[in-house]
Amino acid sequence: GEWMFQLRFNWSCPETRGSVFAFSKGMSLVELTLESALSPGGLVGHISYILLITSMLMRSMLWLRLFVIAYALVSIIYGAVWLKDPVSVFWETVLVLVNVVQIFREWIREHRARFSAEERRLVATRFQGLSNAEARQLLNLGVWVDGVPGTQLTTEGEPVEHVAYVAEGVFDIFHGGAKVGVCRAGNFIGEMSVLGHTSASATAITAGPARYWLIPSETLLDLQVRSPKLASAFQSGIAQDLSSKVISTNAALRGDPH
């Protein structure tokens, strides 16, 4: 016969007291009671959904996948032992395999990432909170450049085409034709103009040989849409650099050589 869903309230019969829902097929009747909901099988089903809900609360993709795997494994046991449902067992197994493969792929990416000494310093000081794979992805968006004395990175009043991170060397900063400061190793150049969508507020010129990392302005702006986590890490690095610049400026105004 066809499956039929019934809504039932029966408080008079001791055998079915507390029944709320019933499913029937032909003459077979399965009633859902508080007792059945708290049975060993029911508790296993509850645990599986608790794990699924918990996975949705995870901010880390790794932990999300681990909780999904745990949910699927418990659901496989529930489906095989209590529900006797091969369809759910099959698809929960597929879900486990997909997530295991994704975790393995991320593990490979993480352990294949390689960094030079200057890249490690950049990541450690300015791109904190990123995994090795994410840091490698971000660094690959830019290029390392050996600058010669007199190289001009930004021009006052003109659009900034690249944001630079200074790894070695010194850049003189000019505003209105007068030298107003310098940027040294660890500083960004052009970042505020790019993020603020304004023209360069000053001209930056290398005072001698320099080594720096360049990322195109358009790439940095696109990053905010395509990869918010990488963009957030970049912005945090800019904030740290801005703080260090303010401290250095205040020290210079006080005449502190340090």
Side-chain angles (χ1 to χ4, degrees):
E2 296 182 352
W3 282 95
M4 180 173 61
F5 175 76
Q6 301 175 344
L7 177 62
R8 303 175 57 191
F9 295 92
N10 189 345
W11 301 99
S12 60
C13 179
E15 289 76 11
T16 59
R17 183 177 293 126
S19 298
V20 177
F21 300 108
F23 297 90
S24 65
K25 184 177 183 181
M27 298 302 294
S28 176
L29 180 67
V30 178
E31 299 198 32
L32 302 183
T33 65
L34 180 61
E35 182 179 355
S36 66
L38 297 179
S39 66
L43 292 176
V44 172
H46 294 318
I47 291 172
S48 70
Y49 283 105
I50 289 172
L51 289 170
L52 179 61
I53 293 171
T54 303
S55 73
M56 300 306 168
L57 301 176
M58 296 295 103
R59 299 181 64 183
S60 164
M61 182 58 70
L62 174 60
W63 281 106
L64 186 152
R65 293 192 185 282
L66 290 175
F67 272 101
V68 168
I69 290 173
Y71 149 76
L73 290 175
V74 175
S75 295
I76 289 172
I77 297 173
Y78 183 55
V81 177
W82 282 277
L83 297 183
K84 306 291 195 257
D85 182 1
V87 175
S88 66
V89 170
F90 171 78
W91 285 110
E92 298 294 356
T93 302
V94 171
L95 184 61
V96 170
L97 294 176
V98 168
N99 279 277
V100 168
V101 169
Q102 290 298 325
I103 290 175
F104 181 70
R105 289 181 59 189
E106 288 300 316
W107 183 87
I108 293 294
R109 287 182 59 211
E110 187 74 6
H111 287 76
R112 281 184 175 177
R114 295 291 182 268
F115 304 92
S116 64
E118 60 191 1
E119 287 175 332
R120 283 194 294 270
R121 286 195 298 271
L122 170 53
V123 172
T125 58
R126 293 293 180 257
F127 298 151
Q128 300 168 358
L130 295 178
S131 66
N132 288 342
E134 291 167 337
R136 184 69 267 166
Q137 180 184 355
L138 179 55
L139 290 173
N140 287 344
L141 298 177
V143 294
W144 287 95
V145 178
D146 291 309
V148 298
T151 301
Q152 187 166 316
L153 281 186
T154 63
T155 302
E156 183 178 352
E158 295 186 6
V160 177
E161 297 182 356
H162 297 84
V163 172
Y165 167 82
V166 183
E168 298 176 5
V170 175
F171 282 78
D172 290 328
I173 307 300
F174 297 89
H175 179 73
K179 181 178 176 179
V180 294
V182 296
C183 282
R184 297 185 172 86
N187 291 149
F188 285 105
I189 296 176
E191 74 286 359
M192 299 308 295
S193 297
V194 172
L195 295 180
H197 303 278
T198 61
S199 300
S201 58
T203 298
I205 302 176
T206 53
R211 174 83 170 164
Y212 47 92
W213 178 75
L214 284 180
I215 180 171
S217 300
E218 291 185 1
T219 300
L220 182 55
L221 294 175
D222 289 343
L223 203 61
Q224 299 180 36
V225 177
R226 294 188 294 105
S227 182
K229 184 175 182 180
L230 297 186
S232 177
F234 205 114
Q235 291 170 0
S236 295
I238 290 174
Q240 293 174 353
D241 179 45
L242 181 60
S243 176
S244 68
K245 288 176 179 176
V246 170
I247 293 173
S248 298
T249 300
N250 290 338
L253 293 175
R254 293 194 306 267
D256 185 349
H258 302 290

